[in-house]
Amino acid sequence: MTDNYSLQLASLANPEKRAEIVLYLKELAAEDPEEVWHKERERGLVSGIDQIFHFFFDDNDFDEDAIGESLLDVEEAKTINGVKALLDEMLVDLPKGDDAAFVSHHLWPRLRTKAQEAQSAFETRS
C-alpha cells in the first residue's frame, strides 16, 4: 500500500496526524457540528467537543515542536494556536459544557470562521 502524499507532506514524520487535524477542523467549521457528531456516534465513534479538546490539548501541542512532525512550518503552528486560543477562551466560560453549550456560545461563530480558514490553509498545502 502506498500513501498518496505530496512531496511536501511526505517529508513529515506523521502525515496521518495532519490528516486528523484537517478532519477536526472540518468538524469545527461545519454548519451543524452537532449533527456531524451525532452521526459519528451512531457509527460507534467517539465524537464531540470533548474529543476535539482531547485532540488539540491533551494528545497534541501543535507548537513549533510539531514542525516536521505534522506541521509544515511556524505559520501552521500559529494557525492551529489561533483555533486553540478560541477553544480555550470558551472553556473558561464552559468548564463543564457539553456539545450544545459550546455550539451556542457567543464565540462559536468566530471559532467556526477561524476553523474554516485553517482548514482551507491546510488543504491548500496538502
Side-chain angles (χ1 to χ4, degrees):
M1 181 174 130
T2 60
D3 293 321
N4 293 321
Y5 295 115
S6 70
L7 185 57
Q8 192 173 23
L9 293 186
S11 69
L12 293 175
N14 195 343
E16 295 85 7
K17 180 70 68 182
R18 182 187 182 83
E20 276 187 277
I21 294 169
V22 173
L23 290 174
Y24 283 110
L25 290 172
K26 282 182 181 179
E27 288 181 16
L28 291 173
E31 188 172 328
D32 186 356
E34 288 182 285
E35 180 181 338
V36 173
W37 298 330
H38 177 75
K39 286 180 180 178
E40 288 178 350
R41 285 191 288 261
E42 283 181 338
R43 293 180 26 224
L45 301 173
V46 178
S47 188
I49 197 68
D50 286 343
Q51 191 63 25
I52 286 172
F53 272 98
H54 286 298
F55 180 77
F56 282 113
F57 292 94
D58 300 335
D59 301 340
N60 305 283
D61 290 325
F62 298 123
D63 56 14
E64 291 185 22
D65 290 339
I67 297 169
E69 178 74 25
S70 57
L71 303 178
L72 294 173
D73 55 32
V74 173
E75 285 307 310
E76 289 190 347
K78 288 179 183 176
T79 298
I80 291 301
N81 281 318
V83 171
K84 289 176 62 175
L86 281 170
L87 284 167
D88 196 40
E89 195 173 337
M90 292 169 73
L91 185 61
V92 169
D93 291 343
L94 303 167
K96 303 244 187 232
D98 60 7
D99 294 346
F102 275 89
V103 172
S104 63
H105 189 277
H106 70 93
L107 290 176
W108 189 265
R110 235 171 87 200
L111 174 66
R112 186 170 174 242
T113 298
K114 183 76 77 179
Q116 288 169 337
E117 292 168 355
Q119 176 192 347
S120 177
F122 270 69
E123 288 179 337
T124 298
R125 300 181 82 190
S126 295

